[in-house]
């Protein structure tokens, strides 16, 4: 008998190679498969007679094969498979391209369900044709499902293979699915059983069932999440933190090339007051991109160190961690404070050294400051004298990691930095335990970044503008969103893909590569760097470093998150296909320029002609305040899109998100219900001793993922 923890290789048809492909999706055991929920469904329930098939949309047809399939070789590399099939209303000629292996798939006299677009041919339009329709064998006594799930895939796995593996997992251990929810909580919230939810999400009996299943699974995610956060907060409250009363930061201020703004001074004062107490600080610093949150964090870290404690700063990506390190290490060095960088790319020997230095019992040799990624969460990173933990949640909800780090260092003060304005209900749950400080003032001399929307006709002028900026000593960012970055088009739920026998090939990098090559050809004198999601992190980091050090004039990047760096010399931000981004994200990107003394520009390139897209982009040309833009974003797009952009798209790519089903924006009511349920559960059972299954799920959700992020 297999269990949810059994490896995928126990399933027939899955050997080591295929298991490795599944592992790329984070699927290691049978339980993972059951939790690999579809990203959508295609409805095939309504069968359309051939004669009534609409001209421009795909539909489901029930056709009986009339003639044996015949293979025609048209030319080299082009093979057609043809046959005829009929229903009561007519006969269609069916053609498959380069799929001669389907020759034996269709038997004359046998009925199949097809899915495709019906073309009308012949002078009278009374003959029909279908090309490469998806197909399934239809048997009288074995009804086909109306709703076909569509899964997130990877190279080497097709939809059919994924569905078969999941069915295999149910057969092997479906009996084992237990329900961790107390029955009263289930009935009080009208939730179905987990086993029912899992079956219906994968093999739905109807739309209603999907909704019921989804609600249950989303509730579970929210409950687990709320439990984890609440437990970590309660445990922190039970601890005391080291008071850090010496808050004289004048030596630090003396090293800064600028004076603090009033807002920064106020925020640092709030932080210092918290840190003077032995009650652990839990504070968030919120402020628009570029307002100067980093120096507030630096001041807090300095105070911790001054009072004999250690400080850690955790960033969500390796590049941001490097950036913080590059900014802060020289500053701390001038103050005689040693600071190291701990990221996935650091050698094992260096990691060992850092860990030893952090845990060193001797005050004078102990490493006082560490900056890193979630590598800071890995085993063996222990602080001898934890004082302050700072997390930079810049563009994402790093709530889970924050909780883990705070949990590991219960007796430390906690400071969070965020630039993402989020709706109030969400803030209550995600940040409800945090006191808020706002940096609501920009450093002086920060100029408005003039923003323009252009289309493809401006290409030549745009290139000339790039050249001009560089000639004048500036640098240029170009963000070029590329479809190939695995951001599958959610609309492209096609059954062709769905029922294909073979897995889709990994989409090529072509668009972005071509773009970079064209640019290099158009601007031969410029030094152009190209960063994309598939580069190893070391190479990415090296290119970013060269751009930051002025060794490159132009940085073309396909991944947005990597752009979260500070290059004050950059004067121009070009965003290609700007209509694909949310406004808040455009604002974050634009915030990368205009940080120095030179006049800076942002150009949004878009060929979108729709009113909505135009109107959205025009907001960017008039508005320069992050919160106003976030509001416009919410108003125009609705919270769903807004949040998808605010972070979860990239999170999902890294398999790092806490929520597979739940949608933070759309399910806020459910989030509140689950959050209240978590509170009442913990009131009676603070450590979940009576609910071991729930406790296991909480610890699974809050266990840091392996450091694959970077
Ligand atoms: P963010 O809040 O987005 O993290 P940063 O902390 O990266 O912003 O600051 C953005 C830029 O502004 C940095 O180059 C930083 O040195 C500069 N800066 C911060 N505070 C001030 C200030 N008071 N006066 C002038 N420049 C400042
Ligand atoms: Mg920052």
């Amino acid at each position: 008998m297999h269990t949810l923890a059994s490896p995928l290789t126990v399933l027939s048809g899955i050997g080591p190679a295929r298991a490795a492909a599944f592992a790329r999706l984070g699927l290691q055991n049978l339980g993972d498969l059951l939790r690999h929920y579809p990203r959508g469904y295609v409805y095939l329930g309504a069968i359309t007679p051939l004669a009534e098939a609409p001209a421009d949309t795909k539909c489901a047809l029930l056709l009986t094969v009339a003639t044996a399939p015949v293979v025609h070789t048209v030319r080299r590399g082009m093979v057609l498979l043809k046959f005829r099939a009929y229903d009561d209303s007519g006969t269609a000629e069916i053609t498959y391209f380069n799929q001669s292996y389907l020759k034996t798939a269709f038997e004359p006299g046998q009925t199949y369900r097809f899915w495709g677009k019906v073309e009308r041919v012949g002078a009278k339009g009374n003959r029909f044709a279908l090309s490469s329709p998806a197909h399934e064998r239809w048997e009288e006594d074995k009804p086909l499902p109306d709703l076909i799930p569509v899964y997130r895939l990877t190279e080497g796995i097709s939809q059919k293979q994924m569905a078969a593996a999941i069915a295999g997992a149910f057969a092997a251990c479906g009996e084992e699915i237990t329900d961790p929810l107390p029955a009263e909580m289930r009935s009080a919230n009208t939730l179905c059983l987990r086993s029912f939810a899992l079956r219906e999400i994968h093999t739905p009996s109807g739309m209603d069932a999907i909704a019921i299943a989804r609600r249950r699974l989303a509730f579970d995610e929210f409950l687990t999440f709320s439990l984890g956060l609440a437990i970590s907060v309660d445990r922190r409250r039970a601890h005391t933190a080291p008071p850090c009363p010496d808050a004289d930061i004048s030596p630090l201020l003396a090293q800064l090339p600028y004076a603090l703004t009033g807002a920064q001074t106020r925020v640092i004062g709030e932080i210092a007051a918290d840190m003077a107490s032995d009650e652990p600080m839990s504070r968030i610093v919120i402020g628009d991109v570029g307002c100067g949150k980093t120096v507030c964090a630096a001041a807090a870290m300095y105070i911790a160190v001054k009072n004999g404690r250690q400080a850690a700063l955790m960033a969500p990506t390796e590049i941001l961690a490097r950036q913080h390190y590059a900014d802060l290490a020289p500053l701390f060095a001038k103050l005689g404070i040693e600071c190291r960088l701990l990221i996935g790319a650091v050698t094992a020997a260096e990691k060992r050294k850092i860990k030893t230095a952090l845990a060193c019992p001797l005050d004078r040799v102990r490493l006082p400051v560490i900056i890193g990624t979630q590598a800071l969460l890995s085993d063996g990173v222990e602080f001898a004298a934890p004082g302050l933990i700072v997390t930079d949640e810049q563009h994402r909800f790093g709530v889970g990691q924050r909780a883990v780090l705070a949990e590991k260092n219960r007796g430390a003060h906690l400071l969070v930095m965020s630039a993402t304005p989020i709706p109030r209900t969400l803030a209550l749950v995600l940040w409800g335990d945090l006191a808020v400080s706002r940096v609501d003032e920009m450093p002086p001399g920060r100029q408005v970044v003039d923003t323009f929307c252009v289309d493809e006709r401006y290409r030549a002028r745009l290139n000339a503008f790039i050249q001009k900026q560089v000639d004048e000593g500036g640098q240029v960012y170009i963000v070029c969103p590329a479809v190939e970055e695995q951001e599958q088009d959610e609309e492209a739920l096609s059954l062709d893909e769905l029922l294909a026998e073979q897995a889709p090939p990994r989409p090529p990098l072509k668009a972005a590569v071509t773009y970079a090559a064209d640019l290099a050809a158009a601007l031969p004198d410029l030094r152009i760097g190209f960063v994309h999601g598939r580069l190893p992190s070391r190479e990415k980091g090296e290119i970013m470093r060269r751009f930051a050090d002025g060794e490159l004039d132009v940085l073309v990047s396909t991944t947005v998150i990597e752009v979260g760096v500070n290059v004050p010399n950059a004067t121009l931000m070009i965003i290609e296909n700007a209509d694909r981004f949310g406004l808040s994200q455009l604002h974050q990107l634009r915030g990368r320029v205009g940080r120095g003394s030179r006049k800076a520009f942002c150009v949004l390139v878009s060929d979108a002609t729709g009113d909505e897209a135009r109107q959205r982009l025009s907001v960017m040309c008039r508005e320069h305040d992050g919160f106003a833009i976030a509001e416009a974003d919410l108003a125009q797009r609705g919270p769903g899109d807004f949040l998808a952009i605010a972070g979860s798209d990239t999170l999902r790519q890294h398999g790092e998100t806490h929520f597979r089903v739940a949608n933070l924006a759309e399910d806020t009511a459910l989030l509140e219900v689950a959050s209240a349920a978590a509170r009442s559960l913990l009131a009676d059972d603070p450590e979940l001793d009576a609910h071991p299954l729930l406790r296991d799920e909480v610890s699974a959700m809050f266990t840091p993922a392996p450091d694959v992020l970077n």
Side-chain angles (χ1 to χ4, degrees):
M1 182 63 188
H2 302 303
T3 73
L4 294 167
S6 301
L8 301 190
T9 44
V10 303
L11 298 177
S12 69
I14 300 189
R18 186 148 296 160
F22 278 105
R24 279 204 299 275
L25 292 167
L27 309 176
Q28 312 269 8
N29 59 37
L30 300 184
D32 294 338
L33 267 183
L34 296 184
R35 282 188 305 274
H36 188 64
Y37 307 135
R39 62 185 170 101
Y41 303 87
V42 174
Y43 179 67
L44 294 184
I47 300 290
T48 310
L50 262 179
E52 289 168 28
D56 45 5
T57 49
K58 292 184 178 180
C59 59
L61 306 145
L62 212 51
L63 306 178
T64 304
V65 172
T67 61
V70 179
V71 172
H72 307 271
T73 303
V74 184
R75 56 179 158 78
R76 261 172 74 104
M78 170 68 102
V79 179
L80 302 183
L81 178 82
K82 283 179 179 288
F83 59 93
R84 281 202 299 281
Y86 62 92
D87 65 11
D88 288 345
S89 72
T91 299
E93 170 133 279
I94 299 182
T95 309
Y96 287 91
F97 298 90
N98 290 339
Q99 282 174 281
S100 50
Y101 60 87
L102 287 179
K103 191 167 190 307
T104 51
F106 297 102
E107 277 168 50
Q110 170 66 43
T111 301
Y112 299 80
R113 181 167 70 180
F114 290 94
W115 167 256
K117 208 186 284 178
V118 175
E119 268 177 87
R120 277 148 211 273
V121 291
K124 294 187 201 140
N126 58 356
R127 284 167 37 226
F128 307 97
L130 273 164
S131 3
S132 302
H135 58 89
E136 294 153 289
R137 196 181 172 96
W138 185 83
E139 320 260 2
E140 195 86 53
D141 49 344
K142 269 203 292 174
L144 289 170
D146 289 347
L147 289 157
I148 308 279
V150 181
Y151 293 99
R152 201 158 52 83
L153 297 178
T154 185
E155 193 176 8
I157 298 175
S158 70
Q159 292 289 352
K160 274 186 172 170
Q161 286 162 345
M162 179 63 80
I166 290 168
F170 269 114
C173 60
E175 297 302 314
E176 249 202 86
I177 301 169
T178 46
D179 207 304
L181 278 199
E184 320 81 80
M185 188 184 283
R186 209 161 20 90
S187 59
N189 295 289
T190 48
L191 297 165
C192 68
L193 277 171
R194 170 156 321 162
S195 51
F196 176 86
L198 286 175
R199 282 197 193 271
E200 290 294 332
I201 208 84
H202 289 294
T203 47
S205 52
M207 289 294 190
D208 297 353
I210 294 176
I212 291 168
R214 224 195 126 264
R215 185 162 176 280
R216 166 65 206 258
L217 298 172
F219 181 90
D220 287 6
E221 290 180 346
F222 283 150
L223 180 75
T224 312
F225 181 75
S226 306
L227 285 171
L229 273 193
I231 290 173
S232 122
V233 169
D234 291 348
R235 287 187 190 157
R236 272 177 60 74
R237 292 221 172 104
H239 274 74
T240 53
C244 300
D246 180 354
D248 177 12
I249 57 166
S250 47
L252 174 93
L253 299 184
Q255 297 300 335
L256 295 177
Y258 50 76
L260 294 183
T261 61
Q264 286 169 325
T265 306
R266 175 173 42 77
V267 167
I268 293 171
E270 290 164 359
I271 293 170
D274 283 0
M275 289 179 70
S277 152
D278 67 353
E279 195 182 311
M281 168 171 75
S282 294
R283 184 169 286 280
I284 185 165
V285 175
I286 304 179
D288 207 352
V289 250
C291 70
K293 293 182 288 294
T294 315
V295 71
C296 300
M301 295 165 87
Y302 179 70
I303 292 172
V305 174
K306 242 192 146 178
N307 288 270
R309 311 300 298 190
Q310 290 168 293
L313 167 57
M314 182 169 70
T317 67
E318 191 160 297
I319 285 171
L320 269 173
R322 283 180 196 276
Q323 176 77 45
H324 282 313
Y325 181 74
D327 287 348
L328 297 181
L331 178 64
F332 286 135
K334 287 186 208 145
L335 297 159
I337 298 171
E338 195 192 349
C339 166
R340 293 292 195 79
L341 179 67
L342 183 61
I343 53 181
V346 161
T347 63
E350 172 74 4
K351 274 183 194 146
R352 251 196 322 275
K353 260 203 235 156
I354 291 177
K355 287 179 189 176
T356 311
L358 283 173
C360 177
L362 286 175
D363 304 11
R364 266 176 306 110
V365 272
R366 181 192 297 146
L367 178 60
V369 176
I370 186 80
I371 294 177
T373 53
Q374 60 166 347
L376 291 177
L377 302 177
S378 55
D379 282 344
V381 180
E382 305 290 342
F383 299 93
L388 174 72
I389 305 289
V390 185
T391 61
D392 186 355
E393 293 176 7
Q394 211 65 319
H395 321 284
R396 26 167 121 189
F397 300 112
V399 191
Q401 265 99 4
R402 182 228 301 164
V404 175
L405 199 60
E407 179 70 37
K408 275 188 75 175
N409 300 284
R410 285 181 210 165
H413 296 290
L414 176 69
L415 186 67
V416 179
M417 296 188 279
S418 176
T420 314
I422 62 170
R424 220 183 72 85
T425 33
L426 263 186
L428 271 178
V429 176
L430 301 183
W431 297 338
D433 56 314
L434 303 173
V436 176
S437 288
R438 288 189 193 278
V439 185
D440 47 11
E441 182 185 350
M442 282 287 169
R446 199 46 65 75
Q447 11 142 346
V448 164
V449 177
D450 283 346
T451 305
F452 307 96
C453 291
V454 303
D455 59 27
E456 206 46 52
R457 290 171 299 172
Y458 287 76
R459 184 62 63 194
R461 267 181 274 176
L462 194 52
N463 286 342
F465 193 49
I466 295 173
Q467 182 76 52
K468 177 163 173 278
Q469 290 301 315
V470 174
D471 289 344
E472 290 172 1
Q475 284 170 284
V476 181
Y477 282 109
I478 302 178
V479 177
C480 174
V483 220
E484 75 280 354
E485 298 293 328
Q486 289 247 307
E487 300 159 11
Q488 292 130 325
D489 218 333
E490 298 291 323
E491 287 152 50
L493 296 185
S494 90
L495 249 211
D496 308 337
E497 172 202 2
L498 200 58
L499 298 178
E501 302 288 335
Q502 283 163 351
R506 199 165 175 200
L509 248 180
K510 190 167 159 293
V513 174
T514 314
Y515 181 91
D518 288 351
L519 191 73
L523 300 167
D525 300 335
L526 301 192
R527 298 165 301 172
I528 299 174
F530 178 37
V531 186
H532 57 81
R534 285 192 206 160
L535 276 187
S537 68
R538 215 174 281 265
E539 278 173 52
K540 259 193 249 177
E542 173 60 12
I543 295 174
M544 300 297 302
R545 183 202 61 73
R546 289 175 60 205
F547 185 66
D549 290 349
E551 293 166 25
L552 293 172
D553 304 311
V554 179
L555 181 72
V556 180
S557 168
T558 60
T559 41
V560 170
I561 200 90
E562 319 293 9
V563 190
V565 296
N566 190 27
V567 181
N569 194 46
T571 52
L572 174 58
M573 166 65 70
I574 297 176
I575 304 170
E576 299 284 344
N577 297 322
D579 50 284
R580 290 224 208 143
F581 293 96
L583 292 184
S584 294
Q585 209 177 9
L586 290 174
H587 177 67
Q588 302 270 359
L589 288 171
R590 180 170 62 182
R592 300 295 137 209
V593 297
R595 297 180 159 222
S597 47
R598 286 176 216 272
K599 175 79 198 149
F601 304 89
C602 174
V603 180
L604 307 175
V605 186
S606 167
D607 276 332
T609 47
D611 281 352
E612 202 201 308
R614 289 268 135 223
Q615 208 187 333
R616 231 157 49 72
L617 293 180
S618 73
V619 171
M620 293 302 297
C621 304
R622 348 178 258 280
E623 272 298 347
H624 294 270
D625 173 70
F627 285 78
I629 289 174
E631 266 165 34
D633 211 4
L634 273 172
Q636 289 185 349
R637 294 158 56 90
D641 286 350
F642 169 71
L643 278 165
I645 295 300
S648 53
D649 52 346
T650 30
L651 288 187
R652 197 149 295 160
Q653 268 186 43
H654 293 302
E656 194 209 345
T657 176
H658 299 289
F659 307 115
R660 296 155 185 266
V661 173
N663 179 318
L664 274 173
E666 282 163 17
D667 300 326
T668 40
L670 193 63
L671 174 60
E672 282 176 78
V673 171
S675 171
R679 274 285 161 206
S680 76
L681 202 63
L682 291 176
D684 297 333
D685 184 12
E687 292 286 330
L688 295 177
D689 293 326
H691 301 92
L693 292 174
L694 278 179
R695 193 174 51 200
D696 290 350
E697 300 202 347
V698 170
S699 60
M701 183 184 267
F702 285 87
T703 297
D707 194 19
V708 289
L709 235 194
N710 302 294

